[in-house]
């Protein structure tokens, strides 16, 4: 169990730092883009990068909390009663977190699909070429949410037997 918790702490720590870095880049880009957008007429990028930066900031905070909770459980692995009392609320939290991640991913995909429809109906240009500027970024963000949800699903699957084993 200790090795598993240690590997999950390392994985979540790496994901948190990656998401935080991407969020900072998106946030700085959203701040700097209005000036560049005025010159080049690209206001769409601002409305894509700002929510992504905020979303990644909240994801990084949530993952930091998950890493801290895993660290507390790691210290309690020698005491089975204490470990189970910590594990039960942790599993409940990550089940909720997993659902939220997948709902947000679905909303992002719906948002990108509505962009395609809007571009297709109001523009003479090919909808796919217009979708490329913001749609790929949105789909990558949705994919990241699905991936994090799968990581949490694996934690649920791997940690649930520990509730009955002790």
């Amino acid at each position: 169990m200790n090795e598993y918790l240690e590997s999950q702490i390392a994985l979540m720590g790496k994901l948190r730092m990656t998401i935080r870095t991407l969020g900072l880049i998106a946030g700085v880009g959203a701040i700097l883009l209005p000036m560049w957008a005025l010159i080049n007429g690209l206001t769409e990028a601002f409305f894509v990068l700002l929510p992504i930066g905020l979303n990644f900031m909240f994801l990084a905070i949530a993952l930091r909390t998950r890493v801290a909770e895993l660290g507390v459980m790691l210290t309690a692995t020698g005491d089975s009663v204490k470990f189970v009392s910590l594990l039960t609320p942790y599993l409940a939290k990550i089940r909720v977190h997993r659902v939220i991640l997948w709902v947000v991913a679905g909303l992002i995909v719906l948002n990108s699909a509505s962009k395609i429809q809007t571009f297709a109906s109001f523009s003479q240009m090919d909808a796919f070429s217009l979708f490329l500027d913001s749609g790929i970024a949105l789909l990558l963000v949705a994919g990241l949410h699905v991936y994090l949800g799968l990581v949490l699903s694996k934690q649920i699957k791997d940690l649930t037997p520990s509730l009955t084993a002790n």
Side-chain angles (χ1 to χ4, degrees), residues 95-157:
R95 283 186 182 101
V96 170
H97 192 182
R98 176 187 62 179
V99 170
I100 291 170
L101 285 169
W102 287 344
V103 167
V104 169
L107 291 173
I108 292 170
V109 170
L110 287 175
N111 184 15
S112 60
S114 72
K115 287 182 184 303
I116 292 174
Q117 290 177 340
T118 302
F119 290 145
S121 62
F122 292 117
S123 177
Q124 299 294 344
M125 295 178 68
D126 181 29
F128 184 72
S129 66
L130 285 168
F131 173 69
L132 285 178
D133 61 350
S134 62
I136 289 179
L138 288 172
L139 290 178
L140 287 173
V141 170
L144 176 69
H145 283 72
V146 170
Y147 172 73
L148 287 173
L150 292 173
V151 167
L152 294 180
S153 289
K154 184 172 179 346
Q155 278 190 9
I156 292 168
K157 179 182 167 197

Side-chain angles (χ1 to χ4, degrees), residues 7-138:
S7 69
Q8 288 301 301
I9 289 170
L11 173 66
M12 297 289 246
K14 289 176 188 174
L15 288 172
R16 181 181 70 84
M17 290 306 294
T18 302
I19 289 172
R20 194 168 97 181
T21 303
L22 292 173
L24 286 172
I25 292 169
V28 169
I31 291 169
L32 297 178
L33 266 174
M35 292 178 274
W36 188 61
L38 290 174
I39 297 168
N40 296 318
L42 296 174
T43 55
E44 176 72 21
F46 173 77
F47 294 108
V48 170
L49 285 180
L50 185 62
I52 288 174
L54 289 173
N55 182 10
F56 281 5
M57 180 183 70
F58 291 121
L59 275 178
I61 291 169
L63 288 178
R64 182 179 63 202
T65 305
R66 299 295 164 254
V67 169
E69 290 170 344
L70 285 171
V72 170
M73 286 193 303
L74 181 63
T75 60
T77 51
D79 181 359
S80 61
V81 173
K82 185 177 178 186
F83 179 72
V84 170
S85 67
L86 292 169
L87 182 59
T88 303
Y90 178 77
L91 288 174
K93 286 178 189 176
I94 64 171
R95 283 186 182 101
V96 170
H97 192 182
R98 176 187 62 179
V99 170
I100 291 170
L101 285 169
W102 287 344
V103 167
V104 169
L107 291 173
I108 292 170
V109 170
L110 287 175
N111 184 15
S112 60
S114 72
K115 287 182 184 303
I116 292 174
Q117 290 177 340
T118 302
F119 290 145
S121 62
F122 292 117
S123 177
Q124 299 294 344
M125 295 178 68
D126 181 29
F128 184 72
S129 66
L130 285 168
F131 173 69
L132 285 178
D133 61 350
S134 62
I136 289 179
L138 288 172

